[in-house]
């Protein structure tokens, strides 16, 4: 069960469903776990109870143990023994929440995949509403927080950040959504083809497009333990969100450069004017000094901006994201629709 697997850059093959085992549609849960020993059993019980309301579906629970330093793995293995459909993917060390989600998506084999936190902040019952929206035709359903019971500091930073991201990023990332969402098989596979290292999963999902629906919910408090996103980790994720979807910060250097050049020209004119028309006021040597400082400052800033715009291009190239995503191709010639695919 807990064989060490290293997943970094390769696209893992999801195991094929057992043929003929079941005609029911499969819904997979991707459940990242990091030091959740105190609450994980409780979480699984509640999730399992919730899924029993849908006997017409088959459920799969993919727990990804992200290098927990407590008894989480032991408890997960026990859960896997006593409960059908539970799989545990164990990381060799802590790779972070976003990588845990990525691995979970690689291993999930459901027709729909739901990503949710394991600290009961995302109420398991809400996932049933996500499933209903999926059955109603949505391919990506994200749970949108109507309220959250976090500290005022976290509430404020999250609120400000989602709005900032909304303004900066080149794509529409819905505000107030975390990673709690459902994706169908086609969009899951597309997301799996994005293999960049600095991942901001919810941004990647938003960038896929497709029919996306929102289900509002109230975010609960953590039932046990404390947040595994201390400020430095949160800031890193926040920076990943901006830098992986926007080169605005780079473009700002160019603007700053242009502004500096304009100011430098004004400064140079002022210094020259002073030298020519008020020679008694100006200190000897000052004019030349001013001209050089301002000129060099302006040129440097502008050059940085030019370099920045190339770095920006290099950056988007090395991300090597698919260039476009085709939802489907209807081809009456070979009599059918092809699944969604990426074009590189
Ligand atoms: N998590 C993880 N790896 C980490 C940090 C967190 O897998 O390095 C998991 C954690 O177990 C939880 C989810 O990611 O299920 C969200 O983490 P947390 O609740 O600490 O974040 P918050 O809700 O405070 O933003
Ligand atoms: Mg949490």
């Amino acid at each position: 069960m807990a064989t060490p697997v290293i997943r970094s850059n390769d696209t893992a093959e999801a195991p094929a469903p057992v043929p003929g085992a079941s005609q029911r549609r499969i819904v997979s849960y991707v459940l990242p776990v990091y030091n959740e020993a105190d609450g994980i059993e409780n979480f699984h019980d509640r999730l399992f109870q919730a899924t029993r309301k849908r006997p017409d579906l088959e459920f799969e629970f993919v727990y990804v143990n992200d290098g927990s330093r407590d008894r989480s793995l032991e408890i997960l293995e026990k859960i896997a023994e006593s409960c059908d459909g539970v799989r545990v993917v164990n990381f060799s060390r802590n790779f972070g929440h976003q990588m845990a989600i990525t691995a979970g998506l690689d291993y999930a084999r459901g027709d729909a995949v739901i990503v949710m936190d394991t600290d009961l902040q995302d109420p398991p019952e809400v996932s049933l509403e996500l499933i209903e929206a999926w059955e109603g035709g949505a391919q990506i359903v994200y749970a949108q927080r109507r309220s959250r019971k976090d500290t005022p500091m976290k509430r404020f930073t999250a609120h400000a950040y989602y709005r900032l991201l909304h303004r900066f990023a080149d794509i529409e990332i819905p505000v107030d959504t975390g990673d709690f969402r459902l994706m169908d098989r086609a969009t899951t596979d597309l997301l799996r083809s994005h293999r960049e290292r600095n991942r901001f999963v919810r941004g990647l999902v938003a960038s896929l497009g497709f029919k996306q629906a929102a289900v509002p919910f109230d975010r609960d408090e953590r039932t046990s333990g404390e947040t595994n996103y201390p400020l430095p980790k949160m800031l890193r994720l926040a920076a990943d969100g901006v830098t992986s979807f926007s080169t605005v910060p780079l473009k700002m250097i160019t603007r700053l450069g242009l502004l500096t050049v304009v100011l430098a020209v004004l400064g140079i004119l002022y210094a020259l004017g002073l030298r020519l028309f008020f020679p008694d006021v100006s200190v000897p040597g000052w004019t030349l000094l001013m001209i050089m400082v301002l000129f060099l400052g302006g040129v440097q800033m502008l050059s940085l901006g030019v370099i920045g715009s190339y770095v920006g291009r290099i950056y988007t190239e090395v991300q090597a994201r698919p260039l476009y995503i085709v939802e489907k191709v209807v081809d009456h010639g070979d009599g059918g629709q092809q699944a969604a695919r990426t074009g590189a």
Side-chain angles (χ1 to χ4, degrees), residues 227-242:
T227 176
N228 292 313
Y229 265 110
L231 196 62
K233 245 188 191 174
M234 213 163 78
L235 289 179
R236 216 175 310 143
L237 184 71
D240 276 348
V242 172

Side-chain angles (χ1 to χ4, degrees), residues 275-289:
R275 177 80 185 80
L276 292 177
F277 301 114
F278 305 92
D280 357 331
V281 186
S282 85
V283 183
W286 181 80
T287 311
L288 186 65
L289 201 70

Side-chain angles (χ1 to χ4, degrees), residues 190 193-194 207-210 322-327 340-343:
L190 286 171
S193 69
H194 292 63
S207 77
L208 293 180
F210 290 93
L323 297 186
Y324 59 84
I325 291 172
V326 180
E327 195 229 342
R341 58 172 63 206
T342 61

Side-chain angles (χ1 to χ4, degrees), residues 13-79:
E13 282 304 312
V18 189
S22 163
Q23 292 310 310
R24 292 181 300 174
R25 294 216 279 180
I26 305 173
V27 174
S28 301
Y29 282 91
V30 165
L31 308 159
V33 177
Y34 178 60
N35 295 347
E36 303 282 4
D38 295 336
I40 194 75
E41 247 163 335
N42 189 3
F43 166 82
H44 185 74
D45 280 349
R46 227 175 102 188
L47 179 59
F48 190 71
Q49 288 311 323
T51 57
R52 294 230 306 206
K53 293 195 193 106
R54 292 297 307 265
D56 55 318
L57 294 171
E58 189 177 324
F59 289 95
E60 175 192 56
F61 308 91
V62 182
Y63 284 96
V64 181
N65 177 38
D66 183 15
S68 299
R69 267 166 299 189
D70 59 2
R71 295 178 48 245
S72 296
L73 177 62
E74 209 180 301
I75 298 170
L76 286 175
E77 284 176 332
K78 227 185 299 163
I79 294 175

Side-chain angles (χ1 to χ4, degrees), residues 136-325:
Q139 291 188 273
I140 296 174
V141 191
Y142 51 89
Q144 192 159 34
R145 299 190 270 262
R146 209 162 18 200
S147 67
R148 52 192 298 164
K149 291 188 189 128
D150 281 312
T151 58
M153 176 64 189
K154 176 127 192 181
R155 277 215 298 264
F156 171 74
T157 51
H159 184 89
Y161 176 65
Y162 281 116
R163 265 120 202 118
L164 184 83
L165 197 58
H166 200 69
R167 286 206 44 189
F168 262 24
D170 311 333
I171 49 143
E172 286 281 305
I173 298 177
V175 295
D176 297 327
T177 62
D179 288 308
F180 185 15
R181 65 186 71 234
L182 175 146
M183 305 177 69
D184 72 353
R185 177 43 54 193
T187 49
T188 303
D189 286 341
L190 286 171
L191 181 63
R192 288 175 55 214
S193 69
H194 292 63
R195 306 310 286 182
E196 64 214 50
R197 284 184 165 273
N198 301 306
R199 307 174 77 78
F200 185 60
V201 174
R202 65 198 78 154
L204 292 176
V205 175
S207 77
L208 293 180
F210 290 93
K211 237 179 277 159
Q212 309 209 356
V215 168
F217 79 111
D218 298 303
R219 189 155 214 233
D220 287 333
E221 260 164 302
R222 252 181 173 276
T223 46
S224 67
E226 53 189 54
T227 176
N228 292 313
Y229 265 110
L231 196 62
K233 245 188 191 174
M234 213 163 78
L235 289 179
R236 216 175 310 143
L237 184 71
D240 276 348
V242 172
T243 52
S244 58
F245 286 100
S246 150
T247 44
V248 171
L250 283 176
K251 289 184 190 125
M252 275 175 5
I253 302 179
T254 313
R255 270 182 233 156
L256 198 65
L258 283 175
L259 186 73
T260 321
V261 169
V262 170
L263 289 180
V265 169
L266 291 179
I268 288 169
L269 288 179
Y270 172 75
L272 276 177
L274 213 60
R275 177 80 185 80
L276 292 177
F277 301 114
F278 305 92
D280 357 331
V281 186
S282 85
V283 183
W286 181 80
T287 311
L288 186 65
L289 201 70
M290 273 322 269
I291 289 176
M292 280 177 51
V293 168
L294 290 170
F295 177 74
L296 283 181
V299 167
Q300 276 175 0
M301 239 344 168
L302 197 63
S303 319
L304 265 186
V306 172
I307 294 173
S309 69
Y310 282 96
V311 171
R313 258 155 249 244
I314 295 170
Y315 177 55
T316 51
E317 290 300 334
V318 298
Q319 276 176 327
R321 291 194 188 154
L323 297 186
Y324 59 84
I325 291 172

Side-chain angles (χ1 to χ4, degrees), residues 117 119 121 219 222:
D117 288 359
D119 55 3
Q121 276 194 298
R219 189 155 214 233
R222 252 181 173 276

